[in-house]
Amino acid sequence: MMEVEDEVGTGSYKLSPRTKTQTPAPFLSKTYDLLEEGEGEGEGKRVASWNAEGNGIVIRSPPEFADHILPRYFKHNNFSSFIRQLNTYGFKKTSSKRWEFKHEKFQKGKRHMLADITRKKCGPSIFPAYLKPSSYRESASSAVEENILSPLMEENKSLRREKLELEMQIAHFKTIENRLLDFLAQTRLKDCVKEQEISITNRNFTVW
């Protein structure tokens, strides 16, 4: 697009190109918004927030995040899909003990840097494959396959790690549940024994 500008004092006009501003991806803007809007809540109440350095997102409770936060901003409640999107834009998981993801250009108070974050993609070859020698074409094909498969393999490894973490959490909660059930059973047994003792004592008093 071209704009017509009036040169002051001359009465003549010139054409100048319209400046094109780069806008960040909607996913990044929405993720930034949900962190900023959560700043007003108390530290203990925030399901997701900025990390201590202000260059990443920390999700404290994935189930609550999926049920209450995702539908408000992304119209779905798929936590795994959200994590895959973070990986697609180059976010790195920083710890195996909690859901924290960092990106050097995703920083608190610097929304303008979101436009510099791009999706991972494989660069296309300069020349068509059919114009290259057979040996070169085969190596190029292998390189393309490697470029495509490597990110998928990395994502698969990441998903397996996440699955293992979730399985460990489930096992932990299952152990707590079993302990609680054992405790309740023992308490119930003690109450039954006590009731029987009281009943026997009352019968003895009746006989006397």
Side-chain angles (χ1 to χ4, degrees), residues 72-105:
R72 288 169 52 192
Y73 293 90
F74 300 99
K75 310 303 181 185
H76 70 79
N77 61 352
N78 192 326
F79 182 70
S80 297
S81 176
F82 179 81
I83 298 303
R84 283 196 295 271
Q85 284 289 329
L86 289 177
N87 291 332
T88 299
Y89 283 98
F91 284 75
K92 302 296 183 183
K93 197 171 190 295
T94 61
S95 173
S96 60
K97 297 181 179 180
R98 67 174 184 169
W99 297 94
E100 178 178 351
F101 297 85
K102 290 183 179 180
H103 194 292
E104 60 181 4
K105 295 183 179 180

Side-chain angles (χ1 to χ4, degrees), residues 24 32 37 39 54 78 107 131 146 167 177 204:
Y32 194 95
E37 293 176 9
E39 285 293 293
N78 192 326
Q107 298 186 18
L131 294 180
E146 183 178 355
E167 288 176 348
E177 179 186 8
N204 290 338

Side-chain angles (χ1 to χ4, degrees), residues 178-195:
N178 290 335
R179 290 178 180 175
L180 180 60
L181 291 175
D182 290 341
F183 175 76
L184 293 175
Q186 292 177 8
T187 302
R188 180 57 181 166
L189 180 60
K190 290 179 180 179
D191 290 342
C192 290
V193 171
K194 189 173 182 179
E195 290 175 1

Side-chain angles (χ1 to χ4, degrees), residues 8-186:
V8 179
T10 64
S12 61
Y13 295 86
K14 64 178 181 179
L15 297 177
S16 63
R18 177 175 295 175
T19 303
K20 183 179 180 180
T21 58
Q22 187 175 3
T23 58
F27 171 80
L28 299 173
S29 296
K30 292 178 181 180
T31 302
Y32 194 95
D33 288 339
L34 74 86
L35 295 180
E36 289 294 289
E37 293 176 9
E39 285 293 293
E41 301 178 0
E43 181 67 25
K45 295 182 179 180
R46 278 182 279 174
V47 177
S49 67
W50 291 100
N51 61 2
E53 295 80 11
N55 63 347
I57 177 175
V58 178
I59 302 172
R60 293 177 174 79
S61 174
E64 290 186 53
F65 184 80
D67 291 340
H68 303 295
I69 305 300
L70 287 181
R72 288 169 52 192
Y73 293 90
F74 300 99
K75 310 303 181 185
H76 70 79
N77 61 352
N78 192 326
F79 182 70
S80 297
S81 176
F82 179 81
I83 298 303
R84 283 196 295 271
Q85 284 289 329
L86 289 177
N87 291 332
T88 299
Y89 283 98
F91 284 75
K92 302 296 183 183
K93 197 171 190 295
T94 61
S95 173
S96 60
K97 297 181 179 180
R98 67 174 184 169
W99 297 94
E100 178 178 351
F101 297 85
K102 290 183 179 180
H103 194 292
E104 60 181 4
K105 295 183 179 180
F106 187 81
Q107 298 186 18
K108 183 178 181 181
K110 298 181 180 180
R111 179 186 286 270
H112 62 279
M113 295 180 65
L114 296 180
D116 297 329
I117 302 177
T118 57
R119 294 172 63 94
K120 294 179 181 178
K121 57 184 179 180
C122 300
S125 176
I126 298 176
F127 299 101
Y130 61 83
L131 294 180
K132 301 175 183 177
S134 176
S135 59
Y136 188 87
R137 186 162 59 248
E138 291 176 0
S139 62
S141 177
S142 299
V144 171
E145 290 179 0
E146 183 178 355
N147 288 337
I148 294 175
L149 291 177
S150 292
L152 294 177
M153 292 175 66
E154 287 297 324
E155 182 176 354
N156 188 34
K157 290 180 181 179
S158 177
L159 292 174
R160 288 189 178 185
R161 286 195 298 268
E162 294 170 9
K163 179 184 176 183
L164 179 59
E165 291 173 7
L166 291 174
E167 288 176 348
M168 292 174 63
Q169 292 179 11
I170 292 173
H172 175 67
F173 290 132
K174 191 67 177 179
T175 301
I176 294 176
E177 179 186 8
N178 290 335
R179 290 178 180 175
L180 180 60
L181 291 175
D182 290 341
F183 175 76
L184 293 175
Q186 292 177 8

